Amino acid sequence: MEYLPKDPAILVSSVNMLLRDEEFDTLESLCYNFETEPADIKDYLFGHGYVYSEEQRQFRPIGYNSEQNDNKR
């Protein structure tokens, strides 16, 4: 993760923006470009309260989807 931001909030924002704006098709292609492994980013951000959603192609706060589902009941 040498070329990516170290601050978790900035890293989440940067990765999500690059995926949202379709600079990269997948997290794997983004990681390849920045010479890191997807597991490294996922593990680092999980330790800071974020989890990767394959469906949404973005990092979200842990529990975000479950809280959203609980509010729909």
Side-chain angles (χ1 to χ4, degrees), residues 2-68:
E2 185 177 332
Y3 301 106
L4 292 169
K6 302 294 185 230
D7 180 271
I10 295 172
L11 178 59
V12 166
S13 178
S14 298
V15 169
N16 286 347
M17 178 197 65
L18 290 169
L19 292 170
R20 180 194 69 227
D21 293 348
E22 299 180 1
E23 296 291 326
F24 297 96
D25 294 341
T26 64
L27 180 62
E28 289 75 16
S29 64
L30 183 147
C31 290
Y32 177 79
N33 186 71
F34 288 101
E35 299 177 3
T36 191
E37 294 295 322
D40 293 342
I41 291 179
K42 287 179 180 180
D43 292 344
Y44 177 75
L45 289 175
F46 186 81
H48 288 90
Y50 296 93
V51 66
Y52 186 70
S53 167
E54 295 286 340
E55 180 181 310
Q56 297 293 320
R57 288 185 1 152
Q58 65 180 214
F59 282 94
R60 297 174 152 218
I62 293 172
Y64 177 81
N65 288 340
S66 63
E67 290 173 12
Q68 194 174 37

